[in-house]
Amino acid sequence: MTVDHEHSQRTDAASGTVAKAVRGAAIGNTVEWFDFAIYGFLATYIAEKFFPPGDETAALLNTFAIFAAAFFMRPLGGFFFGPLGDRIGRQKVLALVILMMSASTLAIGLVPSYQSIGVFAPILLLLLRCLQGFSAGGEYGSGACYLAEFASDRHRGFVVSFLVWSVVVGFLLGSVTVTALEAVLSESAMDAYGWRIPFLIAGVLGAVGLYIRTRLGDTPEFVELRDSGEVSSSPLKEAITTAWRPILQIIGLVIIHNVGFYVVFTFLPSYFTKTLEFSKTDSFVSITVASVVAIALIPPLGALSDRIGRKPLLIAGSVLFAVFTYPLFLLLNSGSLAAAIAAHAGLAAIESVFASTALAAGAELFATRVRSSGYSIGYNISVALFGGTAPYVATWLVARTGNQIAPAYYVIGAALVTLLTVLTMRETARRPLRKLVTQNERS
């Protein structure tokens, strides 16, 4: 029996559980980004509750500093959970990280205020955010590898696209939850207890996700590797020594994926209110429209990459960012709310072109023995350097230059770096992962 025929049998057997695998992998990302959104939207309440009274600006800055700390924990999580996934399996790591993530999120909603426990309040908040960042470092890479290894060769782009789709869903759910609470509860009720409710909801969502993930099996690719005794005894070392080229490629590949995403979904909502001087309601409408556009486009575009290839969409996304970001920022600053929302939606559409394909393309770069390690290391280094810092850099550029269009130049630069990276990559669509392993090991 040929290797290709054996692989075909594996993918046919796995097809019946792909939907279950998608639910299991996607729920963790939904929880993660639900938490991400609520922390940002509730920053003013957190600043008031966890820091000494008297200096609101300093308290808010400290709140965002703790927020940023989670991003710098992500590479550490990637270096830990990525190799762990190559040693014990993708499913066990997915269960472990969602347990850590949901428990720490729930705990944030239960931590007493500064008024009750003093300096221990911000210390606990910092520790819990670092734990969230650490667990998130194992979430995305493990989830991408899990779905890539369950999907058939013909539908891998479509299946893996649901991982990034779930990110946008989580962000939108967080935004809607906080906005709805602020609309229903009085200001005093939000200040007293209302701000804690979304964190408690996230804990419940995490428990549901943990239940789903503990009922999943591991991927056919990893099971075959384990059964044949070929699991790497030192996947971190093996990844760094044998897969350094694809690690560098994924770092470059996801630069515009991260910069584009964080500019569209975290920077622009505050840009709407602080720079463009629209209302909070206007900002909420705009981010909701942008999120719905992304949710609608990502799965079909992932399926398109299965038909025409990964590289055409990756090149198209990079070029679209490089060409249209500047005019879309001009449209944002035209003074018209309708035009600004249309520009925001346009940037979300461009991000969808790239993001729908990037995760599958990244997973396809690596050998099964080191796929989780290589993917997690490369992706989390890139997100720490270019993702979490993107809103800060964009805000700094506006303040430093006085030019409200300045963030566009940062996005364009990121797009060009990614475009050059994509040009170094092989086309990987519709090709068996086992065959890709052999080719990557030889290169």
Side-chain angles (χ1 to χ4, degrees), residues 165-185:
W165 177 88
S166 68
V167 170
V168 184
V169 170
F171 189 91
L172 181 59
L173 286 175
S175 173
V176 169
T177 299
V178 173
T179 303
L181 282 171
E182 289 181 330
V184 171
L185 298 177

Side-chain angles (χ1 to χ4, degrees), residues 353-430:
V353 172
F354 193 90
S356 64
T357 310
L359 299 189
E364 290 166 341
L365 290 174
F366 294 96
T368 303
R369 279 168 62 95
V370 296
R371 182 170 294 119
S372 180
S373 301
Y375 195 105
S376 296
I377 292 168
Y379 183 86
N380 286 294
I381 287 174
S382 190
V383 77
L385 293 176
F386 302 103
T389 59
Y392 177 86
V393 171
T395 303
W396 179 84
L397 285 171
V398 173
R400 181 73 173 176
T401 64
N403 181 1
Q404 296 181 0
I405 312 296
Y409 302 127
Y410 183 56
V411 176
I412 292 168
L416 293 175
V417 173
T418 292
L419 177 61
L420 293 175
T421 303
V422 172
L423 295 177
T424 71
M425 295 167 54
R426 299 189 181 110
E427 179 57 66
T428 54
R430 301 180 304 279

Side-chain angles (χ1 to χ4, degrees), residues 16-353:
T17 57
V18 167
K20 186 177 179 181
V22 168
R23 286 195 299 271
I27 187 66
N29 282 285
T30 300
V31 172
E32 177 186 345
W33 287 89
F34 181 88
D35 164 66
F36 180 93
I38 62 179
Y39 190 96
F41 286 122
L42 296 168
T44 53
Y45 298 101
I46 293 171
E48 180 183 343
K49 296 298 179 183
F50 287 93
F51 295 96
D55 191 339
E56 294 181 3
T57 301
L60 192 58
L61 287 173
N62 287 332
T63 301
F64 283 118
I66 289 175
F67 172 78
F71 281 96
F72 293 102
M73 291 296 293
R74 287 185 67 158
L76 296 178
F79 274 89
F80 178 80
F81 287 111
L84 191 64
D86 284 325
R87 291 180 62 187
I88 69 172
R90 289 48 162 144
Q91 181 267 339
K92 290 184 176 66
V93 168
L94 286 174
L96 179 58
V97 294
I98 198 171
L99 174 62
M100 293 176 60
M101 190 183 306
S102 57
S104 53
T105 303
L106 176 65
I108 289 177
L110 299 174
V111 171
S113 66
Y114 183 89
Q115 186 177 3
S116 300
I117 61 173
V119 71
F120 290 105
I123 290 174
L124 285 172
L125 180 63
L126 175 61
L127 291 175
L128 291 169
R129 282 297 294 175
C130 286
L131 183 60
Q132 287 176 327
F134 186 73
S135 62
E139 175 66 45
Y140 220 44
S142 298
C145 293
Y146 188 79
L147 290 184
E149 292 177 359
F150 251 118
S152 67
D153 301 333
R154 292 179 301 167
H155 301 118
R156 190 175 297 119
F158 175 66
V159 170
V160 178
S161 72
F162 279 96
L163 202 67
V164 70
W165 177 88
S166 68
V167 170
V168 184
V169 170
F171 189 91
L172 181 59
L173 286 175
S175 173
V176 169
T177 299
V178 173
T179 303
L181 282 171
E182 289 181 330
V184 171
L185 298 177
S186 65
E187 181 64 30
S188 60
M190 275 296 296
D191 185 66
Y193 65 87
W195 68 271
R196 295 184 183 272
I197 294 175
F199 291 101
L200 305 182
I201 292 173
V204 174
L205 290 176
V208 173
L210 177 62
Y211 173 77
I212 292 173
R213 285 187 171 180
T214 55
R215 295 170 65 86
L216 296 173
D218 221 316
T219 70
E221 295 283 345
F222 181 80
V223 169
E224 183 194 10
L225 202 69
R226 182 187 62 202
D227 291 348
S228 62
E230 296 177 358
V231 172
S232 175
S233 59
S234 183
L236 177 60
K237 179 181 179 181
E238 187 173 337
I240 293 173
T241 56
T242 68
W244 58 268
R245 187 172 184 266
I247 288 174
L248 292 177
Q249 285 178 321
I250 199 169
I251 290 173
L253 173 67
V254 298
I255 287 176
I256 191 57
H257 172 77
N258 284 310
V259 170
F261 187 91
Y262 284 90
V263 166
V264 170
F265 293 102
T266 66
F267 170 72
L268 284 184
S270 62
Y271 186 80
F272 257 68
T273 56
K274 294 179 180 178
T275 303
L276 304 181
E277 298 182 345
F278 291 119
S279 69
K280 284 187 176 181
T281 301
D282 296 334
S283 177
F284 172 74
V285 170
S286 189
I287 190 61
T288 300
V289 170
S291 299
V292 170
V293 166
I295 288 169
L297 289 179
I298 287 170
L301 288 169
L304 181 62
S305 78
D306 288 320
R307 293 175 62 91
I308 68 173
R310 313 284 186 242
K311 289 186 70 173
L313 283 176
L314 295 174
I315 291 171
S318 302
V319 170
L320 287 170
F321 265 126
V323 173
F324 288 103
T325 298
Y326 184 81
L328 286 172
F329 262 82
L330 288 177
L331 194 60
L332 279 168
N333 285 269
S334 65
S336 163
L337 175 61
I341 292 174
H344 197 173
L347 288 167
I350 295 173
E351 171 65 13
S352 300
V353 172

